């Protein structure tokens, strides 16, 4: 026990970094479980899109969206989602594939959408970064 206390005293920044990392990991897992949405790989999302029933929702900022996004995606920045919710109410019965750059903002967006009655929600696993890494096309406006 004394060795642990000595280690913590000598390496406080390392211990702090460990607990910060652990906290972020636990938070991301909590958000994944709390939103109870399915995580889709880029290829699974492509299959759902090709069926014609899915709507793509990009929750990144407008500037990020203009720099590149998935074809036919609709841009609803996470910080404006609540005030623009009425614009996507018509898609409540359809599959919504929500994405951001890496998946963190889309998890928060899915939680908001779920509270507003959306049921068929899917999170693009890894976000646009994973989409691009899979060599899938993006467009710019």
């Amino acid at each position: 026990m004394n060795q642990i206390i000595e280690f913590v005293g000598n390496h406080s920044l390392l211990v702090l970094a460990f607990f910060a990392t652990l906290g972020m990991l636990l938070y991301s897992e909590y958000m994944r479980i709390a939103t109870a949405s399915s995580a889709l790989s880029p290829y699974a999302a492509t299959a759902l899109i090709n069926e014609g029933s899915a709507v793509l929702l990009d929750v990144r900022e407008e500037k990020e969206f203009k720099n590149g996004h998935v074809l036919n995606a609709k841009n609803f920045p996470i910080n404006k989602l609540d005030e623009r919710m009425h614009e996507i109410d018509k898609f409540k019965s359809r599959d919504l594939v929500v994405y951001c750059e890496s998946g963190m903002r889309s998890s928060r967006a899915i939680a908001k959408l779920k509270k507003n009655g959306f049921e068929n929600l899917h999170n693009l696993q890894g976000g646009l970064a994973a989409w691009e890494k899979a060599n899938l096309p993006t467009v710019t406006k």
Side-chain angles (χ1 to χ4, degrees):
M1 185 67 174
N2 288 337
Q3 290 176 336
I4 294 173
I5 294 171
E6 183 180 347
F7 180 84
V8 170
N10 291 336
H11 305 286
S12 57
L13 286 177
L14 182 63
V15 172
L16 180 65
F18 169 75
F19 282 110
T21 304
L22 182 63
M24 288 186 286
L25 178 66
L26 291 174
Y27 176 76
S28 66
E29 282 301 303
Y30 168 76
M31 288 302 292
R32 184 183 62 80
I33 292 168
T35 58
S37 64
S38 66
L40 294 178
S41 71
Y43 298 113
T46 302
L48 190 62
I49 294 164
N50 287 340
E51 289 176 6
S53 64
V55 176
L56 287 159
L57 197 65
D58 187 325
V59 295
R60 298 175 304 149
E61 295 299 319
E62 189 175 333
K63 184 178 178 182
E64 292 174 289
F65 182 78
K66 287 181 180 179
N67 286 335
H69 58 274
V70 179
L71 182 66
N72 296 327
K74 299 179 183 331
N75 184 229
F76 286 82
I78 184 80
N79 59 350
K80 296 179 182 172
L81 189 60
D82 289 329
E83 63 194 53
R84 295 183 60 195
M85 193 68 69
H86 66 280
E87 295 177 42
I88 54 175
D89 277 343
K90 59 187 171 194
F91 302 124
K92 278 189 178 181
S93 62
R94 295 179 63 185
D95 287 305
L96 273 182
V97 178
V98 183
Y99 73 92
C100 61
E101 188 62 35
S102 64
M104 292 302 292
R105 288 180 278 183
S106 58
S107 294
R108 291 193 339 244
I110 286 173
K112 288 182 179 187
L113 291 165
K114 193 170 229 23
K115 286 180 185 175
N116 282 284
F118 290 83
E119 295 178 7
N120 301 320
L121 299 167
H122 308 280
N123 194 353
L124 180 61
Q125 194 172 32
L128 189 64
W131 182 272
E132 291 173 334
K133 188 175 181 180
N135 292 320
L136 293 169
T138 59
V139 295
T140 58
K141 269 192 177 175

